[in-house]
Every structure is written in structure tokens, then in C-alpha cells.
Amino acid sequence: MTNIYNDTPADIEQAARIIRNGGLVAFPTDTVYGLGADVYNPQAVAAIFEAKGRPTFDPLISHIAEIDFLPEYACTDERVMALARHFWPGPLTFVLKRKEHNPSLDLVCSGLPHIAVRMPNHPLALKLIKTAGVPIAAPSANKFKCISPTTARHVADSLGDKVDMILDGGPCKIGVETTIVDLTTPEMVMLRAGGLSKEEIESFTGEKVVVSHGDPNKPSAPGQLLKHYAPQMPMRINIAQENVRPDEFYIGFGSVKNARLNLSPSGSLSEAAANLFAYMRLAETHTECRGIAMSPIPETGLGLAINDRIRRASYDK
Ligand code: TXA
Ligand code: MG
């Protein structure tokens, strides 16, 4: 039995009805699949935390379908709107001041005075939000601390029985989560490296983006927990091909030999990001191996996000 549906108007209508009635719908975005609920329905939002096994001190991102709605939803200024017009829809999340005290948003924001908002670049996600008529709160549609899903099948495998409906929009094009920037202070602080590179943001604003490494014991973003995005097998990173152990599953990058899977034989970081989570999932099914070894990945552009995820996935303390 499966609760995976396609993208016909009837499927979207049904998914929107589920959202309006307080249910959970998993849906595709440009980055990873999200587990969505009506932001204004605290019970539905609570069901997200429950389904994921996620602590409620980790706030959720609100997904909206129109740039013009942003000023109604959160505090904006010209800087925020210019960034939204340039990068939305796309893999960039803003942390902004909340507009006024709306208690129904307290759980989504984990009681913080700030709210995270994004507009995903995926036609199915945008149609779903518009049809539901409310912003959709959605974390990645995986169990807490596990690898984010980039296909509907990944969602079904980890949360299948906990979600009312899964909309299948094919594999996610970007494959790593959004870049999160905090815009509540004069300088722009990157809380999480993601699908939009720091360099692209800086070349648009002409200003430096400050990288926050956060306090791993007090994460303002769960992605800041040292151990996160973990496969079910030990993983070693930055491993040159000559140092791979015979009992390891080798995930390569670029022109390496003997890789069981290669994130991008041509060395493209965007291709590597799109393959990363699916390959980690495939690797961990090879239970004849004792662990995963991962090629070095350059620390530029999307490489920041890729290295961030694999560093956390390999953390074993
Ligand atoms: O690509 C993505 O961003 C995906 C898709 C589904 O949109 N979503 C996603 O959500 O990765 P999640 O919940 O796995 O990660 C959201 C991050 C968390 O690290 C959370 O702490 C941070 O956003 N966040 C949310 N609201 C925040 C706030 N008010 N202040 C600081 N960080 C916030
Ligand atoms: Mg997540």
C-alpha cells in the first residue's frame, strides 16, 4: 500500500484539503522534500514534530507562494525585498522578525521572536500552497537526525505511515537544503550553508556574509547539531582513493578510480549536491560494507553545503 500521489489537479486539490483540515502532506521542493502542515494550526504543526521525532525547540520554515505576501507575514525592509525579488523562488530562507504577536505561530517559531520564510522553486509546491490558501510549515520530510529525502520514495520509506499523503514531483533538482540567512541584524549572518552559495549572495549584495557556526550544544538551527544528517553506517570523509579500506563503500567525486558511486565524475558541485543524499542512502544499504568513505570535496560554492552535511554525518562522538 502506498500513499504516494502524482501532480494532477485532483491530487493537488486533495492535498490542499488535507492541509486545511489539519493533516500532513509531504511535497517536493527545489531542495529536498518537505513535511507540510498549515502554519496557523498549532495542532497540525505539533503533528510534524511528533512524526519526525523532532524536539519542539527547533523552529520550522514557513513556505509561501508569493513575494508580495512576505511583508504581510513578517517584518521586511528594502534589503529583504530586494533579496526576495532576486533569489525567490529559490533555495534561500530568510530569518526575519515576526510581524506582531500571533500566538498561533508560536510553535512554528518555537517561541522565538523570529520567523523563517522561503518561497520554493517548484511548481507543485507553489500550486499546493496557493490552493491551500495558507503558508505551509515544513521541515525536511525525514526522521530527526536522518538524511533529508530527495525523492517521494525516500519519504515513504522513513515516514510513510505518519503522513496523510505524499505528492511525487520527481527527484529534487538541488538536493541539499536551503541556505538560511539571518536578516534581523545589520550584517547578514549565514546560519546554514545550503543550495545557494555564499558567493552568489555576496556578489548580489556587494557585502560580506558572516558565517555562523553556532553553538552545537544550543543550536538555533538543528543543522548546527554536530551529529545530523546521519547514515546508518560509520562514514569517513576527505578520503583519497589510495586510502579507502577494502571493506568501505567508496563514494567518489571527480576523476577517481574504484568508486562504487561517483557524486559527479566531471567534478560538478551542483551535480554532486543533487546526488549526495540519495547516494548516502544507497551506500548504507550495502550492509556487507563496514563503513562509507567519501572523496574530498572542494570547499567553494555548493561545496560548503556538501562538506557541512558530510562533516556532520561522519561525526561519531
Ligand atoms: O530546503 C529546506 O530548507 C527544506 C525544505 C523542505 O524547505 N526545509 C528544511 O527544514 O530543511 P528543516 O526544518 O529541516 O530545517 C530548517 C532550519 C532549522 O535548522 C531551523 O532551526 C531553522 O531552519 N530555523 C527555522 N526557524 C528559525 C528561526 N526563527 N531562527 C533561526 N533558525 C530557524
Ligand atoms: Mg532537516
Side-chain angles (χ1 to χ4, degrees), residues 234-259 261 263 291-298 307 310 314:
M235 183 159 113
R236 300 193 305 136
I237 58 175
N238 288 320
I239 307 298
Q241 55 189 355
E242 59 276 16
N243 297 327
V244 177
R245 297 170 185 153
D247 56 358
E248 279 179 321
F249 189 99
Y250 190 35
I251 303 182
F253 175 81
S255 57
V256 298
K257 301 222 168 53
N258 307 329
L261 290 168
L263 290 169
I292 303 168
M294 181 81 80
S295 263
I297 311 285
N307 281 316
I310 63 179
S314 67

mmCIF file of all heavy atoms in Angstrom, residues 234-259 261 263 291-298 307 310 314:
data_model
loop_
_atom_site.group_PDB
_atom_site.id
_atom_site.type_symbol
_atom_site.label_atom_id
_atom_site.label_comp_id
_atom_site.label_asym_id
_atom_site.label_seq_id
_atom_site.Cartn_x
_atom_site.Cartn_y
_atom_site.Cartn_z
ATOM 1 N N PRO A 234 29.105 4.005 9.846
ATOM 2 C CA PRO A 234 30.161 4.997 10.068
ATOM 3 C C PRO A 234 30.650 5.562 8.736
ATOM 4 O O PRO A 234 30.665 4.855 7.725
ATOM 5 C CB PRO A 234 31.268 4.215 10.767
ATOM 6 C CG PRO A 234 30.851 2.803 10.806
ATOM 7 C CD PRO A 234 29.448 2.669 10.328
ATOM 8 N N MET A 235 31.013 6.823 8.741
ATOM 9 C CA MET A 235 31.458 7.428 7.487
ATOM 10 C C MET A 235 32.746 8.198 7.730
ATOM 11 O O MET A 235 32.867 8.923 8.708
ATOM 12 C CB MET A 235 30.365 8.365 6.991
ATOM 13 C CG MET A 235 30.669 9.007 5.679
ATOM 14 S SD MET A 235 29.146 9.572 4.906
ATOM 15 C CE MET A 235 29.406 11.290 4.964
ATOM 16 N N ARG A 236 33.726 8.026 6.845
ATOM 17 C CA ARG A 236 34.958 8.819 6.898
ATOM 18 C C ARG A 236 34.970 9.744 5.697
ATOM 19 O O ARG A 236 34.570 9.343 4.597
ATOM 20 C CB ARG A 236 36.192 7.904 6.851
ATOM 21 C CG ARG A 236 36.256 6.910 8.017
ATOM 22 C CD ARG A 236 37.633 6.250 8.108
ATOM 23 N NE ARG A 236 38.028 5.602 6.862
ATOM 24 C CZ ARG A 236 39.249 5.692 6.317
ATOM 25 N NH1 ARG A 236 40.194 6.401 6.905
ATOM 26 N NH2 ARG A 236 39.530 5.058 5.172
ATOM 27 N N ILE A 237 35.427 10.983 5.923
ATOM 28 C CA ILE A 237 35.398 11.959 4.828
ATOM 29 C C ILE A 237 36.808 12.393 4.443
ATOM 30 O O ILE A 237 37.769 12.086 5.147
ATOM 31 C CB ILE A 237 34.534 13.192 5.190
ATOM 32 C CG1 ILE A 237 35.059 13.870 6.453
ATOM 33 C CG2 ILE A 237 33.090 12.754 5.400
ATOM 34 C CD1 ILE A 237 34.319 15.168 6.790
ATOM 35 N N ASN A 238 36.911 13.101 3.303
ATOM 36 C CA ASN A 238 38.219 13.563 2.787
ATOM 37 C C ASN A 238 39.176 12.402 2.552
ATOM 38 O O ASN A 238 40.350 12.479 2.893
ATOM 39 C CB ASN A 238 38.875 14.553 3.766
ATOM 40 C CG ASN A 238 38.158 15.876 3.751
ATOM 41 O OD1 ASN A 238 37.762 16.349 2.694
ATOM 42 N ND2 ASN A 238 37.954 16.453 4.921
ATOM 43 N N ILE A 239 38.671 11.321 2.000
ATOM 44 C CA ILE A 239 39.496 10.125 1.816
ATOM 45 C C ILE A 239 39.948 10.025 0.353
ATOM 46 O O ILE A 239 39.124 9.907 -0.558
ATOM 47 C CB ILE A 239 38.702 8.853 2.198
ATOM 48 C CG1 ILE A 239 38.103 8.964 3.609
ATOM 49 C CG2 ILE A 239 39.581 7.607 2.064
ATOM 50 C CD1 ILE A 239 39.112 9.118 4.722
ATOM 51 N N ALA A 240 41.265 10.106 0.157
ATOM 52 C CA ALA A 240 41.809 9.930 -1.186
ATOM 53 C C ALA A 240 41.684 8.462 -1.580
ATOM 54 O O ALA A 240 41.667 7.582 -0.709
ATOM 55 C CB ALA A 240 43.274 10.361 -1.214
ATOM 56 N N GLN A 241 41.599 8.198 -2.894
ATOM 57 C CA GLN A 241 41.273 6.826 -3.322
ATOM 58 C C GLN A 241 42.254 5.775 -2.796
ATOM 59 O O GLN A 241 41.857 4.651 -2.496
ATOM 60 C CB GLN A 241 41.159 6.742 -4.841
ATOM 61 C CG GLN A 241 42.377 7.227 -5.585
ATOM 62 C CD GLN A 241 42.116 7.328 -7.083
ATOM 63 O OE1 GLN A 241 41.062 6.944 -7.562
ATOM 64 N NE2 GLN A 241 43.068 7.848 -7.820
ATOM 65 N N GLU A 242 43.537 6.174 -2.633
ATOM 66 C CA GLU A 242 44.513 5.171 -2.176
ATOM 67 C C GLU A 242 44.328 4.820 -0.699
ATOM 68 O O GLU A 242 44.898 3.849 -0.206
ATOM 69 C CB GLU A 242 45.957 5.617 -2.468
ATOM 70 C CG GLU A 242 46.395 6.928 -1.846
ATOM 71 C CD GLU A 242 45.992 8.173 -2.653
ATOM 72 O OE1 GLU A 242 45.111 8.071 -3.542
ATOM 73 O OE2 GLU A 242 46.565 9.254 -2.375
ATOM 74 N N ASN A 243 43.533 5.615 0.021
ATOM 75 C CA ASN A 243 43.354 5.362 1.457
ATOM 76 C C ASN A 243 42.027 4.685 1.805
ATOM 77 O O ASN A 243 41.689 4.536 2.975
ATOM 78 C CB ASN A 243 43.472 6.666 2.245
ATOM 79 C CG ASN A 243 44.856 7.260 2.112
ATOM 80 O OD1 ASN A 243 45.836 6.515 1.993
ATOM 81 N ND2 ASN A 243 44.954 8.574 2.081
ATOM 82 N N VAL A 244 41.265 4.312 0.781
ATOM 83 C CA VAL A 244 39.993 3.644 1.054
ATOM 84 C C VAL A 244 40.279 2.221 1.528
ATOM 85 O O VAL A 244 41.132 1.529 0.965
ATOM 86 C CB VAL A 244 39.123 3.604 -0.227
ATOM 87 C CG1 VAL A 244 37.830 2.847 0.027
ATOM 88 C CG2 VAL A 244 38.829 5.018 -0.699
ATOM 89 N N ARG A 245 39.588 1.815 2.587
ATOM 90 C CA ARG A 245 39.799 0.457 3.110
ATOM 91 C C ARG A 245 38.986 -0.539 2.289
ATOM 92 O O ARG A 245 37.933 -0.178 1.743
ATOM 93 C CB ARG A 245 39.355 0.393 4.576
ATOM 94 C CG ARG A 245 40.189 1.312 5.457
ATOM 95 C CD ARG A 245 39.595 1.423 6.857
ATOM 96 N NE ARG A 245 40.347 2.391 7.647
ATOM 97 C CZ ARG A 245 39.848 3.094 8.660
ATOM 98 N NH1 ARG A 245 38.580 2.939 9.020
ATOM 99 N NH2 ARG A 245 40.606 3.938 9.327
ATOM 100 N N PRO A 246 39.468 -1.779 2.226
ATOM 101 C CA PRO A 246 38.792 -2.761 1.355
ATOM 102 C C PRO A 246 37.328 -2.995 1.735
ATOM 103 O O PRO A 246 36.519 -3.321 0.884
ATOM 104 C CB PRO A 246 39.607 -4.044 1.547
ATOM 105 C CG PRO A 246 40.775 -3.700 2.390
ATOM 106 C CD PRO A 246 40.677 -2.305 2.876
ATOM 107 N N ASP A 247 37.005 -2.797 3.029
ATOM 108 C CA ASP A 247 35.622 -3.077 3.440
ATOM 109 C C ASP A 247 34.757 -1.818 3.470
ATOM 110 O O ASP A 247 33.678 -1.812 4.036
ATOM 111 C CB ASP A 247 35.612 -3.759 4.815
ATOM 112 C CG ASP A 247 36.342 -2.941 5.870
ATOM 113 O OD1 ASP A 247 36.882 -1.862 5.513
ATOM 114 O OD2 ASP A 247 36.372 -3.371 7.033
ATOM 115 N N GLU A 248 35.248 -0.727 2.827
ATOM 116 C CA GLU A 248 34.453 0.500 2.799
ATOM 117 C C GLU A 248 33.753 0.691 1.456
ATOM 118 O O GLU A 248 34.271 0.306 0.412
ATOM 119 C CB GLU A 248 35.337 1.722 3.066
ATOM 120 C CG GLU A 248 35.613 1.935 4.540
ATOM 121 C CD GLU A 248 36.516 3.141 4.784
ATOM 122 O OE1 GLU A 248 37.465 3.366 3.996
ATOM 123 O OE2 GLU A 248 36.292 3.840 5.779
ATOM 124 N N PHE A 249 32.588 1.323 1.524
ATOM 125 C CA PHE A 249 31.849 1.697 0.319
ATOM 126 C C PHE A 249 32.348 3.084 -0.070
ATOM 127 O O PHE A 249 32.158 4.057 0.656
ATOM 128 C CB PHE A 249 30.351 1.729 0.635
ATOM 129 C CG PHE A 249 29.489 1.895 -0.585
ATOM 130 C CD1 PHE A 249 28.883 0.794 -1.186
ATOM 131 C CD2 PHE A 249 29.272 3.162 -1.133
ATOM 132 C CE1 PHE A 249 28.079 0.950 -2.308
ATOM 133 C CE2 PHE A 249 28.474 3.318 -2.264
ATOM 134 C CZ PHE A 249 27.876 2.207 -2.847
ATOM 135 N N TYR A 250 33.005 3.176 -1.229
ATOM 136 C CA TYR A 250 33.648 4.447 -1.590
ATOM 137 C C TYR A 250 32.729 5.296 -2.457
ATOM 138 O O TYR A 250 32.280 4.876 -3.516
ATOM 139 C CB TYR A 250 34.956 4.155 -2.338
ATOM 140 C CG TYR A 250 35.824 5.386 -2.555
ATOM 141 C CD1 TYR A 250 35.892 6.407 -1.605
ATOM 142 C CD2 TYR A 250 36.593 5.520 -3.714
ATOM 143 C CE1 TYR A 250 36.692 7.525 -1.799
ATOM 144 C CE2 TYR A 250 37.408 6.632 -3.914
ATOM 145 C CZ TYR A 250 37.453 7.633 -2.952
ATOM 146 O OH TYR A 250 38.250 8.731 -3.155
ATOM 147 N N ILE A 251 32.427 6.505 -1.975
ATOM 148 C CA ILE A 251 31.682 7.475 -2.780
ATOM 149 C C ILE A 251 32.681 8.507 -3.291
ATOM 150 O O ILE A 251 33.296 9.229 -2.508
ATOM 151 C CB ILE A 251 30.568 8.162 -1.955
ATOM 152 C CG1 ILE A 251 29.606 7.111 -1.365
ATOM 153 C CG2 ILE A 251 29.803 9.154 -2.833
ATOM 154 C CD1 ILE A 251 28.445 7.693 -0.571
ATOM 155 N N GLY A 252 32.845 8.550 -4.601
ATOM 156 C CA GLY A 252 33.868 9.400 -5.194
ATOM 157 C C GLY A 252 33.343 10.754 -5.634
ATOM 158 O O GLY A 252 32.138 11.031 -5.613
ATOM 159 N N PHE A 253 34.282 11.603 -6.018
ATOM 160 C CA PHE A 253 33.959 12.900 -6.629
ATOM 161 C C PHE A 253 35.073 13.210 -7.623
ATOM 162 O O PHE A 253 36.251 13.112 -7.283
ATOM 163 C CB PHE A 253 33.881 14.002 -5.565
ATOM 164 C CG PHE A 253 33.663 15.370 -6.149
ATOM 165 C CD1 PHE A 253 32.388 15.787 -6.522
ATOM 166 C CD2 PHE A 253 34.739 16.242 -6.357
ATOM 167 C CE1 PHE A 253 32.185 17.053 -7.086
ATOM 168 C CE2 PHE A 253 34.547 17.500 -6.913
ATOM 169 C CZ PHE A 253 33.263 17.906 -7.274
ATOM 170 N N GLY A 254 34.701 13.575 -8.839
ATOM 171 C CA GLY A 254 35.712 13.881 -9.846
ATOM 172 C C GLY A 254 36.323 12.601 -10.411
ATOM 173 O O GLY A 254 35.721 11.526 -10.335
ATOM 174 N N SER A 255 37.564 12.743 -10.926
ATOM 175 C CA SER A 255 38.120 11.627 -11.697
ATOM 176 C C SER A 255 38.823 10.599 -10.811
ATOM 177 O O SER A 255 40.008 10.346 -10.973
ATOM 178 C CB SER A 255 39.114 12.173 -12.725
ATOM 179 O OG SER A 255 40.097 12.917 -12.026
ATOM 180 N N VAL A 256 38.099 10.032 -9.848
ATOM 181 C CA VAL A 256 38.719 8.996 -9.018
ATOM 182 C C VAL A 256 38.388 7.617 -9.588
ATOM 183 O O VAL A 256 37.392 7.448 -10.293
ATOM 184 C CB VAL A 256 38.236 9.062 -7.542
ATOM 185 C CG1 VAL A 256 38.629 10.376 -6.906
ATOM 186 C CG2 VAL A 256 36.737 8.836 -7.452
ATOM 187 N N LYS A 257 39.261 6.664 -9.258
ATOM 188 C CA LYS A 257 39.012 5.291 -9.723
ATOM 189 C C LYS A 257 38.400 4.491 -8.571
ATOM 190 O O LYS A 257 38.512 4.868 -7.418
ATOM 191 C CB LYS A 257 40.335 4.648 -10.150
ATOM 192 C CG LYS A 257 41.037 5.416 -11.255
ATOM 193 C CD LYS A 257 41.625 4.488 -12.315
ATOM 194 C CE LYS A 257 42.061 5.273 -13.529
ATOM 195 N NZ LYS A 257 42.980 6.403 -13.183
ATOM 196 N N ASN A 258 37.787 3.392 -8.898
ATOM 197 C CA ASN A 258 37.294 2.431 -7.904
ATOM 198 C C ASN A 258 36.156 2.935 -7.026
ATOM 199 O O ASN A 258 35.889 2.368 -5.978
ATOM 200 C CB ASN A 258 38.413 1.944 -6.957
ATOM 201 C CG ASN A 258 39.595 1.427 -7.734
ATOM 202 O OD1 ASN A 258 39.410 0.899 -8.831
ATOM 203 N ND2 ASN A 258 40.776 1.604 -7.195
ATOM 204 N N ALA A 259 35.521 4.040 -7.383
ATOM 205 C CA ALA A 259 34.392 4.492 -6.573
ATOM 206 C C ALA A 259 33.193 3.600 -6.870
ATOM 207 O O ALA A 259 32.951 3.241 -8.020
ATOM 208 C CB ALA A 259 34.065 5.945 -6.890
ATOM 209 N N LEU A 261 30.149 4.580 -6.169
ATOM 210 C CA LEU A 261 29.261 5.591 -6.741
ATOM 211 C C LEU A 261 30.099 6.853 -6.871
ATOM 212 O O LEU A 261 30.983 7.094 -6.048
ATOM 213 C CB LEU A 261 28.089 5.884 -5.807
ATOM 214 C CG LEU A 261 27.025 4.804 -5.626
ATOM 215 C CD1 LEU A 261 26.118 5.175 -4.445
ATOM 216 C CD2 LEU A 261 26.186 4.652 -6.893
ATOM 217 N N LEU A 263 29.713 11.017 -7.068
ATOM 218 C CA LEU A 263 28.786 12.152 -6.939
ATOM 219 C C LEU A 263 28.761 12.988 -8.210
ATOM 220 O O LEU A 263 27.714 13.500 -8.604
ATOM 221 C CB LEU A 263 29.188 13.037 -5.755
ATOM 222 C CG LEU A 263 28.975 12.437 -4.372
ATOM 223 C CD1 LEU A 263 29.649 13.301 -3.303
ATOM 224 C CD2 LEU A 263 27.489 12.267 -4.067
ATOM 225 N N GLY A 291 31.675 0.466 6.407
ATOM 226 C CA GLY A 291 31.521 1.905 6.517
ATOM 227 C C GLY A 291 31.543 2.557 5.146
ATOM 228 O O GLY A 291 31.660 1.873 4.125
ATOM 229 N N ILE A 292 31.409 3.891 5.163
ATOM 230 C CA ILE A 292 31.418 4.669 3.929
ATOM 231 C C ILE A 292 32.666 5.542 3.944
ATOM 232 O O ILE A 292 33.019 6.103 4.982
ATOM 233 C CB ILE A 292 30.167 5.578 3.852
ATOM 234 C CG1 ILE A 292 28.882 4.743 3.951
ATOM 235 C CG2 ILE A 292 30.175 6.421 2.579
ATOM 236 C CD1 ILE A 292 27.620 5.574 4.164
ATOM 237 N N ALA A 293 33.354 5.624 2.798
ATOM 238 C CA ALA A 293 34.464 6.571 2.661
ATOM 239 C C ALA A 293 34.062 7.566 1.582
ATOM 240 O O ALA A 293 33.491 7.181 0.560
ATOM 241 C CB ALA A 293 35.738 5.838 2.264
ATOM 242 N N MET A 294 34.340 8.833 1.820
ATOM 243 C CA MET A 294 33.912 9.873 0.884
ATOM 244 C C MET A 294 35.121 10.646 0.378
ATOM 245 O O MET A 294 35.994 11.037 1.158
ATOM 246 C CB MET A 294 32.947 10.796 1.644
ATOM 247 C CG MET A 294 32.357 11.936 0.883
ATOM 248 S SD MET A 294 30.950 11.468 -0.144
ATOM 249 C CE MET A 294 29.623 11.415 1.038
ATOM 250 N N SER A 295 35.161 10.869 -0.910
ATOM 251 C CA SER A 295 36.231 11.666 -1.542
ATOM 252 C C SER A 295 36.281 13.070 -0.952
ATOM 253 O O SER A 295 35.269 13.568 -0.476
ATOM 254 C CB SER A 295 35.881 11.875 -3.022
ATOM 255 O OG SER A 295 36.488 10.972 -3.861
ATOM 256 N N PRO A 296 37.415 13.752 -1.061
ATOM 257 C CA PRO A 296 37.453 15.176 -0.711
ATOM 258 C C PRO A 296 36.561 15.978 -1.673
ATOM 259 O O PRO A 296 36.490 15.655 -2.858
ATOM 260 C CB PRO A 296 38.922 15.557 -0.907
ATOM 261 C CG PRO A 296 39.676 14.268 -0.995
ATOM 262 C CD PRO A 296 38.724 13.235 -1.488
ATOM 263 N N ILE A 297 35.880 16.989 -1.130
ATOM 264 C CA ILE A 297 35.017 17.864 -1.940
ATOM 265 C C ILE A 297 35.557 19.288 -1.779
ATOM 266 O O ILE A 297 35.796 19.725 -0.658
ATOM 267 C CB ILE A 297 33.560 17.843 -1.423
ATOM 268 C CG1 ILE A 297 33.039 16.415 -1.206
ATOM 269 C CG2 ILE A 297 32.636 18.670 -2.315
ATOM 270 C CD1 ILE A 297 32.691 15.634 -2.427
ATOM 271 N N PRO A 298 35.745 20.024 -2.881
ATOM 272 C CA PRO A 298 36.278 21.389 -2.759
ATOM 273 C C PRO A 298 35.376 22.271 -1.892
ATOM 274 O O PRO A 298 34.151 22.160 -1.956
ATOM 275 C CB PRO A 298 36.286 21.906 -4.206
ATOM 276 C CG PRO A 298 36.009 20.739 -5.078
ATOM 277 C CD PRO A 298 35.458 19.628 -4.261
ATOM 278 N N ASN A 307 30.106 19.818 2.204
ATOM 279 C CA ASN A 307 31.050 19.484 3.275
ATOM 280 C C ASN A 307 30.421 19.603 4.650
ATOM 281 O O ASN A 307 30.697 18.807 5.546
ATOM 282 C CB ASN A 307 32.303 20.367 3.173
ATOM 283 C CG ASN A 307 33.253 19.858 2.097
ATOM 284 O OD1 ASN A 307 33.489 18.650 1.999
ATOM 285 N ND2 ASN A 307 33.775 20.749 1.279
ATOM 286 N N ILE A 310 28.320 16.379 5.141
ATOM 287 C CA ILE A 310 29.065 15.119 5.329
ATOM 288 C C ILE A 310 29.909 15.172 6.601
ATOM 289 O O ILE A 310 30.131 14.156 7.243
ATOM 290 C CB ILE A 310 29.906 14.720 4.089
ATOM 291 C CG1 ILE A 310 30.985 15.742 3.768
ATOM 292 C CG2 ILE A 310 29.011 14.469 2.880
ATOM 293 C CD1 ILE A 310 31.848 15.350 2.560
ATOM 294 N N SER A 314 29.502 12.367 9.460
ATOM 295 C CA SER A 314 30.631 11.499 9.819
ATOM 296 C C SER A 314 31.020 11.657 11.280
ATOM 297 O O SER A 314 31.879 10.948 11.774
ATOM 298 C CB SER A 314 31.847 11.843 8.950
ATOM 299 O OG SER A 314 32.314 13.140 9.267
#
